[in-house]
Amino acid sequence: MNKEEILAQAQHQGKGKDVADLDAQRKGAYLAYFVGLFIIIIWDIVEGLRFHYINYGGNMALFAMAFTAFLVKFVLLRKKHEIIPMTIYGVCTIVFLVLWILQLTGVMPR
């Protein structure tokens, strides 16, 4: 087999997917999640110190990202142990969503 045949066979087996590109995207998404986590924590600290309240919208987004990650992992891999953290993150998402809506509507003071 020459280089072209090996490349054609690898592309056919990978269905045209670039494994290195997919791995880079996965690592990028993983790092982006932690950068977002860090930014939202800093955001909460600054708002708490400066304004004496925390906007719950950012926390809701944070938990929604984690919920989505575990949901996708559960759907794709069907691993039962993913249900517990997925459920916890889902409940936290709903709690922070409700708190954020209460803040937006003025029911809960800032």
Side-chain angles (χ1 to χ4, degrees), residues 33 62-75 79-94:
Y33 176 75
L62 179 68
F63 282 103
M65 289 187 312
F67 169 74
T68 303
F70 278 94
L71 176 65
V72 168
K73 196 172 175 184
F74 173 72
V75 168
K79 292 185 176 179
K80 301 280 187 206
H81 67 272
E82 303 297 347
I83 293 173
I84 293 172
M86 178 185 70
T87 304
I88 292 169
Y89 285 127
V91 168
C92 289
T93 299
I94 292 168

